[in-house]
Amino acid sequence: MSKVVVIGAGSWGTALAIVLADNGHEVRMWAHRKEHVDEINQSHRNNKYLDVDIPNNITAFHDMEEATKDIDAVIVVVPTKAIREVCQQLKNYITSSTQIIHATKGIEPGTLKRVSEMISEEIPDFHYEDIVVLSGPSHAEEVALRHPTTVSVSAVNLDRARQAQDLFNSENLRVYTSDDILGIEVGGALKNIIALGAGISDGLGYGDNAKAALITRGLAEIARLGTTLGANPLSFLGLSGVGDLIVTCTSVHSRNWRAGNLLGKGMSLEQVLEEMGMVVEGVRTVQAAHQFAKEQGVEMPITQGIYQVLFEDKTPKDVVDELMNRSKRQEIDDISGLLKERYSDQ
């Protein structure tokens, strides 16, 4: 049994806390709002985020120092925009022996840092190689109901990934390991962009053909950028690539799909975010990926089109028309070219 604290009491943080509690660990949750903590401790509910009962062996805290006292592992599950602020607090209370696992999917606009890189910058005494990411097709609503789910845990130091695998693996959550943290994080972040596009497609009233095309060509964009950055291209065929992409693009549980759906029905971005009332990671990630594509010289037409919808007031219908009327090309020529370039000297 380990002492584990989940930093972030949203839907995903709550679901992961339930998994850990079911595995017999001593589980704490940290939330930045006192009333949120009181609800979890008094009623064992988290009604804003999940319609499930929270096990009695989960205790919530508002004080970071108290929440992290004598803990073995920290699970960081806060929005990308809050990572740096949270880590600036965390670094005062954890040691180099504490395991750090994050389950946040995003890239920071401006710096273009992945979440593991942000954590490493804010907690410099902790080795980047030991930071673990947990990612995969895993809606919190289903994980909390103990429905069968599979995810990947990845770190440069594979021993750390195996420790995380032991922590989370259960009869309902099957956990695989990977040493390609770059590919796992890029796939997990960029799939939210394509999910926005899938929602837009559905909001416009298009059918399965359009969404299948969007998912497939979206995966090509993710693999194109990820491979350019140095990721293992096979990672994008795994749980954190095609697996996460499918579930996020096709489920009403997906915040990014729901946001895109509202955009497709004619709402502005401001109206959508107000209607959602929760963080939609894909919006910030679109900004980062758009910048990444320019700097790396990588062609990402779907990402560019969604960026134009969100930030340049272009209509979704006009973007679809432009995508459909792009110049003719060979389907896998760009990916195969990248692979030939990478492995030509090996």
Side-chain angles (χ1 to χ4, degrees):
M1 185 177 71
S2 297
K3 295 180 180 178
V4 186
V5 59
V6 177
I7 305 296
S11 54
W12 190 213
T14 303
L16 289 177
I18 291 172
V19 171
L20 292 166
D22 286 350
N23 283 354
H25 301 296
E26 180 184 317
V27 183
R28 307 169 190 175
M29 295 177 68
W30 175 86
H32 73 279
R33 289 190 295 109
K34 181 66 165 58
E35 60 270 24
H36 200 175
V37 169
D38 292 340
E39 180 189 18
I40 293 171
N41 288 335
Q42 293 169 13
S43 67
H44 301 288
R45 299 283 297 179
N46 191 358
N47 289 319
K48 179 178 179 181
Y49 295 101
L50 284 178
D51 184 21
V52 295
D53 292 326
I54 295 175
N56 293 336
N57 57 332
I58 295 176
T59 305
F61 294 82
H62 178 61
D63 182 89
M64 180 77 76
E65 183 175 9
E66 188 179 3
T68 55
K69 186 177 181 180
D70 299 324
I71 49 108
D72 301 307
V74 175
I75 320 299
V76 180
V77 199
V78 297
T80 307
K81 66 180 182 180
I83 287 289
R84 292 191 185 275
E85 180 183 352
V86 163
C87 287
Q88 286 166 11
Q89 298 179 59
L90 263 179
K91 69 180 179 182
N92 299 314
Y93 308 120
I94 64 174
T95 68
S96 58
S97 64
T98 307
Q99 179 158 30
I100 298 179
I101 303 165
H102 86 78
T104 298
K105 300 173 182 178
I107 298 173
E108 186 177 40
T111 69
L112 302 182
K113 299 289 186 180
R114 292 175 284 114
V115 175
S116 62
E117 295 174 311
M118 296 163 63
I119 293 173
S120 180
E121 287 183 354
E122 298 302 332
I123 311 179
D125 291 339
F126 196 92
H127 296 300
Y128 167 77
E129 291 78 9
D130 291 333
I131 297 170
V132 179
V133 56
L134 184 151
S135 188
S138 49
H139 285 312
E141 295 85 353
E142 297 181 9
V143 171
L145 292 173
R146 284 84 169 177
H147 290 178
T149 302
T150 55
V151 296
S152 294
V153 288
S154 181
V156 176
N157 181 349
L158 199 54
D159 285 340
R160 285 290 196 174
R162 293 190 185 103
Q163 291 171 11
Q165 182 183 41
D166 291 340
L167 198 67
F168 282 101
N169 200 69
S170 72
E171 61 181 9
N172 302 310
L173 185 69
R174 181 168 175 80
V175 183
Y176 293 85
T177 59
S178 165
D179 61 0
D180 183 22
I181 189 170
L182 193 160
I184 300 303
E185 285 187 297
V186 168
L190 297 191
K191 57 90 183 180
N192 286 328
I193 299 173
I194 310 306
L196 283 170
I200 289 172
S201 177
D202 287 334
L204 287 168
Y206 298 147
D208 294 337
N209 294 350
K211 188 151 61 174
L214 189 71
I215 292 172
T216 306
R217 295 311 301 165
L219 180 61
E221 287 194 14
I222 294 171
R224 195 181 302 136
L225 179 60
T227 304
T228 299
L229 295 174
N232 182 340
L234 293 178
S235 293
F236 303 111
L237 298 179
L239 293 169
S240 297
V242 67
D244 209 357
L245 186 64
I246 290 171
V247 78
T248 312
C249 290
T250 61
S251 174
V252 294
H253 290 316
S254 167
R255 296 181 198 175
N256 293 280
W257 180 89
R258 296 203 311 269
N261 190 252
L262 294 173
L263 288 166
K265 290 179 177 177
M267 282 192 180
S268 68
L269 177 59
E270 292 74 17
Q271 290 171 324
V272 168
L273 295 178
E274 183 177 354
E275 173 85 9
M276 296 288 296
M278 292 190 225
V279 172
V280 180
E281 283 284 6
V283 173
R284 281 170 55 86
T285 307
V286 166
Q287 294 175 287
H290 185 258
Q291 181 184 347
F292 240 146
K294 281 188 173 181
E295 292 188 4
Q296 296 292 327
V298 175
E299 191 173 11
M300 300 182 72
I302 296 173
T303 299
Q304 180 182 357
I306 295 171
Y307 179 89
Q308 291 171 331
V309 170
L310 295 179
F311 303 110
E312 295 180 355
D313 295 324
K314 200 160 193 174
T315 68
K317 178 65 168 60
D318 286 344
V319 167
V320 172
D321 289 344
E322 288 185 10
L323 287 172
M324 290 300 293
N325 288 285
R326 294 175 68 237
S327 59
K328 294 178 287 185
R329 60 187 305 153
Q330 188 174 339
E331 183 179 12
I332 62 171
D333 185 57
D334 46 3
I335 298 294
S336 60
L338 284 170
L339 295 179
K340 287 178 183 177
E341 182 180 326
R342 171 179 286 193
Y343 298 113
S344 59
D345 298 327
Q346 298 183 13

